[in-house]
């Protein structure tokens, strides 16, 4: 199933490229003959336009898809929205209208196909050519493909350029399909589904729904079995497995920063790295082993002291064991304490956001990811020149400063700024 979806998405891209090739060939033919392209209003010559099949890569499995998507002489080129509807929307309806729990692998493959289309659209958004004319025609308002621009930059690229209406309609369609899938009560949100959904909305520049999905990931009731009627169970949102991976949070925050939506950035941080699930996961992953070693250290040190005391002849074995045990344990304890203080008080990674005085060291370590993400927001909203830091003003900056203070942090500590040492 996965290969089928990926194949069909690649086939759709080949179809679009074939339409562009036809237009370029038609333009060259009309330039030589002094007549208009068959995509224009009139064609006075009797020679039929080139077929779409002639320019698409020949492949046995593409035969049926090419035949279905071929462009007749009297019709316009297929829109990207219609291709998405044919390739994804039908399968999404089957999943959403089913009365039973769909297969998780099938849902993941469906969202991966949406992610590929979203990636293609985002690439076209990045390289969309600028129009030089204010005139619009009915054809330009349709969800059709933009002609390949005859510029050096366009000739160097082999990608397909989409018009703004086509881009907007396709992005809206894919975003809506992905949101309906991820919020469907029957579908259990796995880490792969969450990552694919965040990537889709980030590619499309529509991250407004990400905080809602983060909440659903931790608290959405899941079906106990695939029986009918469905029986749902309420999960524990504080368990370590309900945490949002930091890589997913980074992608979501980058998308929110690009949209310049400060409240959205706050919500993404609030429902990801500020949750107890994330903190429990960090404790188990990074602190459980060192703490277990600290608990077991006295027993290991006593065993080591007993073994060493057996090889001493100038001191009683019991006294030697006590002395060695106290000395080795003191050394291990002091060294470990210095290491913990060094880790929890390090500030080389801090840029504009630092901890307020009096914040416990354990809290600093536990909430370091939160401070790091807030620091990234401050860097995106403030001046990039270090010499101009501290000159920011405006409602957004004041809201950011107030929110940072409420989190036990300080934005642009005076004694740490350049020239204020």
């Amino acid at each position: 199933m996965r290969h089928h979806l990926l194949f069909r998405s690649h086939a759709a891209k080949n179809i679009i490229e074939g339409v562009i090739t036809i237009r370029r060939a038609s333009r060259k033919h009309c330039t030589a003959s002094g007549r208009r392209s068959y995509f224009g209003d009139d064609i006075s010559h009797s020679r039929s336009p080139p077929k779409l099949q002639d320019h698409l890569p020949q492949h046995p499995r593409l035969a049926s898809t090419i035949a279905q998507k071929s462009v007749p002489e009297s019709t316009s080129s297929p829109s990207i929205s219609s291709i998405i509807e044919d390739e994804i929307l039908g399968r999404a309806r089957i999943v959403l209208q089913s009365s039973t729990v769909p297969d998780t692998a099938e849902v993941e493959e469906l969202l991966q196909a949406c992610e590929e289309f979203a990636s293609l659209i985002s690439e076209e958004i990045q390289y969309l050519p600028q129009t030089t004319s204010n005139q619009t025609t009915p054809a330009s308002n349709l969800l059709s493909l933009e002609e390949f621009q005859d510029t050096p930059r366009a000739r160097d690229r082999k990608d397909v350029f989409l018009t703004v209406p086509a881009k907007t309609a396709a992005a809206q369609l894919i975003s809506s399909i992905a949101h309906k899938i991820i919020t469907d009560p029957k579908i259990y949100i796995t880490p792969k589904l969450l990552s694919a959904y965040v990537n889709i909305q980030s590619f499309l520049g529509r991250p407004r729904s990400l905080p809602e999905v983060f909440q659903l990931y931790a608290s959405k009731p899941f079906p106990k079995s695939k029986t009918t009627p469905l029986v749902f169970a309420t999960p524990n949102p504080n368990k370590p497995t309900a945490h949002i991976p930091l890589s997913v949070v980074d992608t979501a925050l980058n998308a929110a920063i690009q949209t310049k939506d400060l409240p959205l950035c706050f919500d993404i941080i609030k429902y990801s790295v500020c949750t107890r699930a994330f903190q429990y996961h960090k404790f188990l992953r990074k602190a459980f082993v060192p703490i277990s070693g600290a608990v077991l250290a006295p027993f290991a040190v006593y065993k080591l002291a007993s073994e060493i005391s057996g090889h001493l002849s100038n001191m009683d074995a019991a006294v030697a064991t006590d002395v060695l045990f106290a000395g080795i344990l003191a050394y291990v304890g002091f060294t470990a304490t210095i290491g913990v203080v060094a880790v929890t008080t390090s500030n080389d990674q801090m840029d504009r956001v630092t901890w307020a005085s009096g914040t416990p060291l354990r809290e600093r370590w536990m909430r370091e990811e939160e401070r790091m993400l807030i620091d990234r927001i401050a860097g995106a909203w403030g001046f990039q020149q270090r010499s101009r830091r501290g000159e920011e003003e405006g409602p957004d900056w004041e809201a950011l400063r107030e929110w940072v203070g409420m989190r036990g942090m300080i934005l642009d500590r005076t004694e740490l700024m350049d020239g204020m040492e």
Side-chain angles (χ1 to χ4, degrees), residues 74-319:
S74 60
T75 61
S76 60
S77 59
S79 66
I80 184 65
S81 296
S82 64
I83 297 176
I84 295 174
E85 290 178 359
D86 294 342
E87 305 299 327
I88 296 180
L89 189 57
R91 296 183 179 276
R93 287 199 183 103
I94 296 176
V95 172
L96 296 176
Q97 295 176 0
S98 175
S99 59
T100 60
V101 179
D103 184 37
T104 303
E106 182 179 355
V107 178
E108 290 178 355
E109 291 164 1
L110 183 58
L111 275 188
Q112 287 176 3
C114 292
E115 184 179 353
E116 285 201 356
F117 274 99
S119 177
L120 175 63
I121 294 175
S122 68
E123 190 174 1
E124 309 311 333
I125 292 174
Q126 181 179 2
Y127 293 98
L128 188 69
Q130 300 294 332
T131 57
T132 57
S133 175
N134 294 328
Q135 298 179 353
T136 58
T137 62
S140 64
N141 294 328
L142 295 176
L143 300 180
S144 59
L145 301 176
E146 181 64 51
E147 281 196 42
F148 198 88
Q149 301 297 315
D150 191 15
T151 61
R153 181 180 180 183
R155 286 194 297 266
D156 292 339
R157 290 184 51 82
K158 301 300 182 182
D159 298 323
V160 182
F161 294 95
L162 304 178
T163 59
V164 174
K167 171 193 64 178
T168 304
Q172 175 64 30
L173 181 59
I174 293 180
S175 178
S176 176
I177 293 174
H179 187 264
K180 289 181 180 179
I181 292 174
I182 206 74
T183 56
D184 188 85
K186 306 184 300 296
I187 296 177
Y188 174 72
I189 305 178
T190 63
K192 288 184 178 180
L193 286 181
L194 178 65
S195 178
Y197 181 81
V198 172
N199 290 336
I200 290 170
Q201 303 298 352
S202 299
F203 285 146
L204 301 177
R206 299 169 179 264
R208 288 294 305 170
S209 62
L210 295 183
E212 173 194 359
V213 174
F214 284 173
Q215 289 180 281
L216 287 176
Y217 180 74
S219 59
K220 180 181 179 182
F222 60 92
K224 290 184 177 179
S225 62
K226 297 184 178 181
T227 59
T228 304
L230 298 177
V231 179
F232 294 90
T234 303
N236 181 11
N238 296 327
K239 60 181 180 180
T241 55
H243 79 285
I244 309 295
L246 189 58
S247 59
V248 175
V249 180
D250 288 338
T251 303
L253 186 61
N254 290 336
I257 290 175
Q258 291 178 1
T259 59
K260 293 299 180 181
D261 192 337
L262 189 60
L264 177 60
C265 295
F266 292 163
D267 290 341
I268 289 176
I269 294 177
K270 177 181 178 181
Y271 296 114
S272 57
V273 296
C274 294
T275 60
R276 289 190 176 182
F278 186 88
Q279 295 177 355
Y280 290 160
H281 172 77
K282 180 179 180 179
F283 175 82
L284 292 176
R285 187 168 59 91
K286 294 186 176 181
F288 180 76
V289 173
I291 291 178
S292 300
V295 172
L296 298 176
F299 302 97
V301 169
Y302 185 83
K303 181 64 176 178
L304 179 62
S306 301
E307 293 294 333
I308 296 177
S309 63
H311 299 281
L312 299 178
S313 58
N314 56 349
M315 186 180 298
D316 184 66
V319 176

Side-chain angles (χ1 to χ4, degrees), residues 14-26 38-39 46-58 66-67 69-75 78:
N14 291 334
I15 292 165
I16 300 173
E17 293 178 349
V19 175
I20 297 302
T21 307
I22 294 174
R23 292 191 174 188
R24 296 186 66 188
S26 174
Y38 80 99
F39 284 95
S46 59
R47 182 180 177 182
S48 61
K51 303 294 184 180
L52 178 61
Q53 298 94 318
D54 300 335
H55 298 277
L56 292 178
Q58 298 301 321
I66 292 173
K69 298 299 181 181
S70 298
V71 183
E73 299 179 11
S74 60
T75 61

Side-chain angles (χ1 to χ4, degrees), residues 341-355 361 364 368 371 375 386 413 415-416:
V341 173
V343 170
T344 54
T345 59
S346 61
N347 59 1
D348 294 338
Q349 76 281 6
M350 300 180 185
D351 187 20
R352 305 194 66 168
V353 178
T354 56
W355 292 108
L361 296 182
R364 295 187 182 192
E368 174 57 28
R371 187 215 59 80
D375 206 345
R386 298 186 63 89
R413 187 189 294 268
E415 56 268 25
L416 297 181

